[in-house]
Amino acid sequence: MIPFNHLGMVFNTFGSLVYPKSVRKSLCNFLTPLKTQSKVLDIGAGTGMLCKFGYACREDLAYVAVDPAEGMMKYAKAYVETHRASAEVLPFDADSFDATMMGESLHHFRNVDEALKETVRVLKDGGRLFIYDFDVASFMGKSICKGEMLLGEPGNFFTPKALQAKLESYGFSVDIEIHGWRYTVEAILEK
Ligand SMILES: C[S@@+](CC[C@H](N)C(=O)[O-])C[C@H]1O[C@@H](n2cnc3c(N)ncnc32)[C@H](O)[C@@H]1O
């Protein structure tokens, strides 16, 4: 397993390098329709990188982060409310978030279906989901997947098409943007 709990400083220093400008722009576009003080949950937030990028374009949203690794979350900015928890068991009431985000974290979840069920539970009807991940059909995606699995990670990587089909089965309508070997998902939930 990757020892995320001891890698906070590394991710805090270098983590932004895996986010190309185009991905940050997609995140800002994703947040644009939200009303002031909307609640946004970053799942597998690590050091709160997505909250930081989000805050750069929408300071007026309420950012909440969950991650099992406190050693990562201790680097989150003061405007982020942090909770030590896993995606598969979210410590929040049903219908409590306007948006959720997963930044290169979905492929680390042990049980993607449980995580998506929880995401659907905590999202409001019409709630939004943003995902940033690596396309497992690409050379880079495949290599990262193999490398992570050698380290004992679950390697739950998807092609954009496969993830779209999965999200649709949970009631999301899905838009995918391709960024070379990476992709972003913008999805809207109909409950
Ligand atoms: C590659 S890091 C990405 C962190 C952050 N989202 C970013 O973009 O910098 C993956 C994160 O997923 C977290 N993680 C692993 N398993 C998880 C789970 N079951 N539920 C939620 N987060 C998990 C790890 O602790 C780690 O912080």
Side-chain angles (χ1 to χ4, degrees):
M1 279 177 68
I2 298 177
F4 285 111
N5 208 30
H6 300 287
L7 294 175
M9 192 190 283
V10 175
F11 272 83
N12 195 43
T13 310
F14 301 109
S16 63
L17 299 178
V18 294
Y19 284 91
K21 256 191 188 162
S22 64
V23 169
R24 299 186 204 181
K25 194 166 172 237
S26 300
L27 176 66
C28 288
N29 291 341
F30 166 80
L31 296 173
T32 298
L34 295 174
K35 292 187 185 136
T36 289
Q37 289 312 313
S38 288
K39 284 186 80 180
V40 181
L41 177 64
D42 187 355
I43 306 176
T47 60
M49 197 60 72
L50 279 186
C51 296
K52 198 167 146 189
F53 293 144
Y55 190 82
C57 45
R58 288 295 305 268
E59 273 187 32
D60 59 327
L61 304 176
Y63 293 95
V64 181
V66 291
D67 198 289
E70 269 171 348
M72 293 282 273
M73 273 195 309
K74 71 178 182 192
Y75 289 92
K77 298 285 183 198
Y79 52 77
V80 182
E81 177 189 312
T82 58
H83 296 260
R84 180 169 180 256
S86 293
E88 293 85 349
V89 187
L90 294 174
F92 307 109
D93 291 339
D95 305 322
S96 48
F97 289 92
D98 302 283
T100 49
M101 328 187 269
M102 300 170 185
E104 49 150 356
S105 56
L106 178 78
H107 62 259
H108 290 286
F109 301 161
R110 297 261 149 216
N111 190 326
V112 169
D113 284 297
E114 285 305 315
L116 289 176
K117 272 186 216 161
E118 278 292 85
T119 302
V120 167
R121 184 183 67 77
V122 302
L123 269 177
K124 296 176 184 169
D125 183 29
R128 305 166 71 76
L129 166 64
F130 179 86
I131 299 176
Y132 167 56
D133 222 319
F134 311 142
D135 180 357
V136 71
S138 69
F139 173 75
M140 280 299 285
K142 230 177 255 162
S143 309
I144 292 172
C145 180
K146 279 189 185 153
E148 287 196 2
M149 287 176 83
L150 282 175
L151 293 170
E153 287 295 312
N156 283 319
F157 290 86
F158 293 85
T159 62
K161 257 197 166 172
L163 185 55
Q164 173 161 6
K166 185 172 268 302
L167 293 173
E168 284 172 352
S169 76
Y170 282 92
F172 287 96
S173 58
V174 179
D175 257 329
I176 306 251
E177 245 183 283
I178 304 294
H179 308 264
W181 53 278
R182 306 172 260 212
Y183 62 91
T184 52
V185 172
E186 184 172 328
I188 300 177
L189 178 64
E190 196 178 321
K191 278 195 166 173

